[in-house]
């Protein structure tokens, strides 16, 4: 491709675009069970994912990561916002249109045992999705199941076995096979390795990367382990208490984190060298309640560098370097 063609090449379109997404859960109380409060699980989150990309979504438990994934899949209905998937507005789809899109969007759950029916063989579990979407006849579905099991490193005879006969790593491979069988284009990986031993984690991550290269998959990879996210992600988004606080490419985030919360997370990553020591940033206090989040920046009660502005006004989520956005008054003022 010539230099002139490179200069005039159109930018890659967004495969998934989440815009101003909100998900609140009502808290009811009293004799008449009226709504007395709202749990702000996800509050005004926006991001995009390009085709073939892996976006890592990280943050501590309860920050809203899984809620975002479930809302994208329409397993949970949103309070506000919009999501476009390959040009289609997901929240406007119904019936057959929604079912067709769901074939292209699959999920790998965190707990590989709880997500499998213990009374059904592995082969039947994988074939179930093929039947729902009317893919092939019974023989063809079984052939697809066997071929998919081999893609994730399992053998054909495993199709006749039941979930309790497998190890945790094998069950997670089965979860990957079940998502892959429909040949989707987009997979949400909801902490798929957090319940596995470290040695097994690397095997599962390598399977996911190999499958992405072979089938052109796009991933939203939800995790709380930044070391895992660094291994698999192209870009990383950091969440805190329902808000997105930082978003940039993987190398930039690990080289130059801007938000104090991201820096604290980074300081907890172990260094595989006993001669080196990383200075830990210990956050004080507990995570505030999502029912009554702090005024201003939600992180300011625990932030070691908070200023007066942080207590009063919520910081906007701004791109202050090319491709590097952050919601922090201190970081934004330093860059001005």
């Amino acid at each position: 491709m010539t230099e002139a063609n490179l200069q005039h090449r159109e930018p890659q379109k967004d495969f998934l675009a989440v815009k101003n997404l909100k998900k609140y859960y009502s808290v009811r109380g009293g004799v008449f069970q009226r709504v007395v409060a709202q749990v702000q699980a996800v509050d005004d989150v926006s991001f995009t994912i390009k085709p073939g990309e892996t976006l890592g979504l990280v943050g501590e438990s309860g920050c809203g990561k899984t809620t975002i994934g479930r809302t994208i899949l329409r397993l949970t209905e949103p309070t506000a916002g919009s999501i476009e998937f390959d040009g289609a507005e997901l929240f406007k789809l119904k019936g057959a249109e929604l079912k067709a899109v769901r074939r292209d969007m699959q999920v790998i759950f965190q707990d590989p045992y709880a997500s499998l029916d213990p009374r059904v063989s592995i082969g039947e579990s994988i074939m179930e999705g093929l039947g729902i979407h009317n893919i092939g006849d019974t023989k063809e579905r079984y052939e697809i199941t066997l071929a998919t099991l081999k893609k994730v490193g399992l053998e054909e005879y495993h199709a006749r076995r039941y979930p309790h006969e497998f190890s945790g790593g094998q069950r997670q491979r089965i979860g990957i096979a079940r998502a892959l069988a429909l040949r989707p284009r987009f997979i949400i990986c909801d902490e798929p390795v957090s319940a596995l031993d470290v040695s097994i984690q690397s095997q599962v991550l390598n399977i996911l990367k190999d499958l992405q290269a072979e089938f052109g998959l796009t991933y939203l990879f939800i995790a709380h382990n930044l070391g895992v996210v660094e291994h698999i992600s192209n870009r990383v988004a950091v969440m805190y208490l329902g808000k997105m606080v930082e978003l940039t490419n993987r190398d930039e985030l690990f080289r130059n984190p801007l938000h104090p919360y991201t820096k604290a997370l980074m300081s907890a990553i172990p260094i595989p060298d006993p001669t080196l020591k990383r200075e830990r940033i210990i956050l004080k206090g507990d995570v505030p309640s999502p029912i009554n989040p702090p005024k201003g920046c939600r992180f300011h009660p625990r932030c070691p560098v908070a200023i007066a502005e942080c207590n009063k006004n919520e910081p906007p989520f701004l791109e202050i370097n090319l491709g590097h956005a952050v919601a922090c008054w201190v970081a934004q003022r330093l860059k001005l």
Side-chain angles (χ1 to χ4, degrees), residues 8-161:
H8 292 90
R9 185 172 57 185
E10 292 184 2
Q12 195 175 28
K13 294 182 179 179
D14 295 330
F15 185 65
L16 180 80
V18 177
K19 301 176 183 178
N20 308 114
L21 182 65
K22 294 184 180 182
K23 178 56 185 177
Y24 295 172
Y25 293 96
S26 299
V27 178
R28 298 180 180 274
V31 176
F32 298 103
Q33 289 294 293
R34 293 191 176 96
V35 175
V36 296
Q38 297 278 357
V39 176
Q40 301 178 26
V42 177
D43 190 17
D44 199 20
V45 168
S46 300
F47 61 89
T48 61
I49 305 179
K50 302 292 184 184
E53 181 184 38
T54 299
L55 176 67
L57 189 60
V58 301
E60 57 197 325
S61 297
C63 70
K65 307 185 300 295
T66 296
T67 302
I68 288 177
R70 291 179 62 85
T71 306
I72 291 173
L73 294 169
R74 291 283 299 273
L75 299 177
T76 299
E77 292 299 319
T79 302
S82 65
I83 297 177
E84 289 186 7
F85 176 72
D86 199 22
E89 174 53 66
L90 286 182
F91 299 150
K92 294 181 180 179
L93 299 181
K94 296 180 181 179
E97 290 181 333
L98 179 59
K99 182 179 179 180
V101 169
R102 276 182 164 160
R103 178 181 172 179
D104 286 331
M105 305 172 68
Q106 293 296 306
V107 60
I108 302 168
F109 293 102
Q110 177 178 357
D111 188 339
Y113 189 71
S115 62
L116 295 171
D117 188 338
R119 300 165 297 179
V120 175
S121 69
I122 294 309
E124 290 178 272
S125 288
I126 297 174
M127 290 173 63
E128 183 178 10
L130 298 171
I132 290 172
H133 288 278
N134 301 315
I135 299 173
D137 56 26
T138 302
K139 182 180 178 181
E140 290 171 332
R141 292 168 193 166
Y142 192 66
E143 290 174 352
I144 292 172
T145 296
L146 298 183
T148 306
L149 283 173
K150 294 187 74 69
K151 289 288 184 183
V152 298
L154 296 175
E155 299 299 330
E156 293 184 358
Y157 64 83
H158 286 135
R160 299 186 296 273
R161 293 187 175 180

Side-chain angles (χ1 to χ4, degrees), residues 159-178:
R160 299 186 296 273
R161 293 187 175 180
Y162 290 80
H164 71 273
E165 300 180 73
F166 295 91
S167 67
Q170 288 176 317
R171 283 195 289 262
Q172 197 57 285
R173 290 170 187 251
I174 294 164
I176 295 172
R178 187 171 57 178

Side-chain angles (χ1 to χ4, degrees), residues 132-277:
I132 290 172
H133 288 278
N134 301 315
I135 299 173
D137 56 26
T138 302
K139 182 180 178 181
E140 290 171 332
R141 292 168 193 166
Y142 192 66
E143 290 174 352
I144 292 172
T145 296
L146 298 183
T148 306
L149 283 173
K150 294 187 74 69
K151 289 288 184 183
V152 298
L154 296 175
E155 299 299 330
E156 293 184 358
Y157 64 83
H158 286 135
R160 299 186 296 273
R161 293 187 175 180
Y162 290 80
H164 71 273
E165 300 180 73
F166 295 91
S167 67
Q170 288 176 317
R171 283 195 289 262
Q172 197 57 285
R173 290 170 187 251
I174 294 164
I176 295 172
R178 187 171 57 178
L180 184 66
L182 292 170
R183 294 296 183 265
R185 293 184 292 159
F186 175 61
I187 297 179
I188 294 178
C189 307
D190 187 6
E191 303 205 34
V193 298
S194 63
L196 306 179
D197 294 337
V198 174
S199 60
I200 306 300
Q201 286 184 8
S202 61
Q203 295 176 19
V204 173
L205 291 175
N206 288 334
I207 288 173
L208 290 172
K209 292 181 73 172
D210 291 343
L211 293 174
Q212 184 176 40
E214 182 176 353
F215 296 104
L217 298 171
T218 303
Y219 292 146
L220 174 63
F221 193 92
I222 299 170
H224 61 265
N225 186 332
L226 276 169
V228 170
V229 169
E230 182 181 15
H231 180 71
I232 197 170
S233 301
N234 303 112
R235 291 188 301 141
V236 182
V238 182
M239 288 191 65
Y240 181 80
L241 202 63
K243 288 280 190 180
M244 189 168 288
V245 297
E246 191 161 1
L247 173 63
T248 186
N249 68 71
R250 175 193 59 199
D251 295 337
E252 174 68 12
L253 186 81
F254 282 84
R255 181 177 60 249
N256 182 34
L258 297 179
H259 199 281
Y261 177 62
T262 309
K263 294 178 181 179
L265 293 179
M266 295 288 188
S267 73
I269 301 176
I271 300 176
D273 186 340
T275 64
L276 299 177
K277 187 176 181 181

